[in-house]
Amino acid sequence: MPSLPNAEQTMTLAGVGLCNYGAQMMLAPEWANDFYYKKGEVEAAPKWQAWMGQALIGHGVTTLLSRKVATKQQMQGLALSWGSALPVMAIQKDAFKPEQLVANGMFCAGMALLTAKVADSM
């Protein structure tokens, strides 16, 4: 059975993932909207998406900058952050493109599980 990544590696994965989502929202809001949602289901809101992107990038950068001194509590916070995306996606499930709902739901669930498991090992 493969071993879990260490805390620094896990925080690197989590931070890069957060920055990736944030950059999409901040730098390409219309593209991101069309990429994730079915046509006509959700209107792009570039001003709000820019704020969302800024928050995600800030969270991601903070995660990356603190990865060398990762604590159990930081890892638990990341598990909650990634895991809390799932109920939001579930509420909006009919607006998502099915393949995006599955892919992003699995990614967020995987990151939540990974960060929770690494937290438990600390």
Side-chain angles (χ1 to χ4, degrees):
M1 180 163 196
S3 62
L4 289 172
N6 64 34
E8 181 180 349
Q9 293 165 331
T10 302
M11 288 198 45
T12 300
L13 292 170
V16 168
L18 289 163
C19 287
N20 174 51
Y21 280 121
Q24 292 174 38
M25 295 297 121
M26 182 178 246
L27 302 175
E30 289 87 5
W31 174 87
N33 197 73
D34 293 343
F35 185 71
Y36 292 105
Y37 292 115
K38 294 175 189 169
K39 186 172 179 71
E41 286 289 326
V42 177
E43 278 189 49
K47 290 180 182 177
W48 281 112
Q49 285 173 257
W51 281 109
M52 175 65 169
Q54 185 275 334
L56 286 169
I57 290 169
H59 185 22
V61 168
T62 300
T63 299
L64 289 169
L65 292 175
S66 63
R67 68 186 185 268
K68 292 199 181 289
V69 292
T71 67
K72 181 175 186 153
Q73 292 76 21
Q74 286 173 304
M75 205 64 65
Q76 290 169 329
L78 284 166
L80 288 170
S81 179
W82 283 102
S84 66
L86 298 171
V88 175
M89 284 187 215
I91 290 166
Q92 298 179 3
K93 71 183 182 315
D94 294 332
F96 272 94
K97 291 179 180 175
E99 65 275 15
Q100 293 298 344
L101 183 62
V102 170
N104 288 278
M106 290 179 68
F107 182 72
C108 290
M111 287 304 302
L113 181 62
L114 174 62
T115 50
K117 291 293 262 178
V118 171
D120 285 345
S121 73
M122 295 175 79

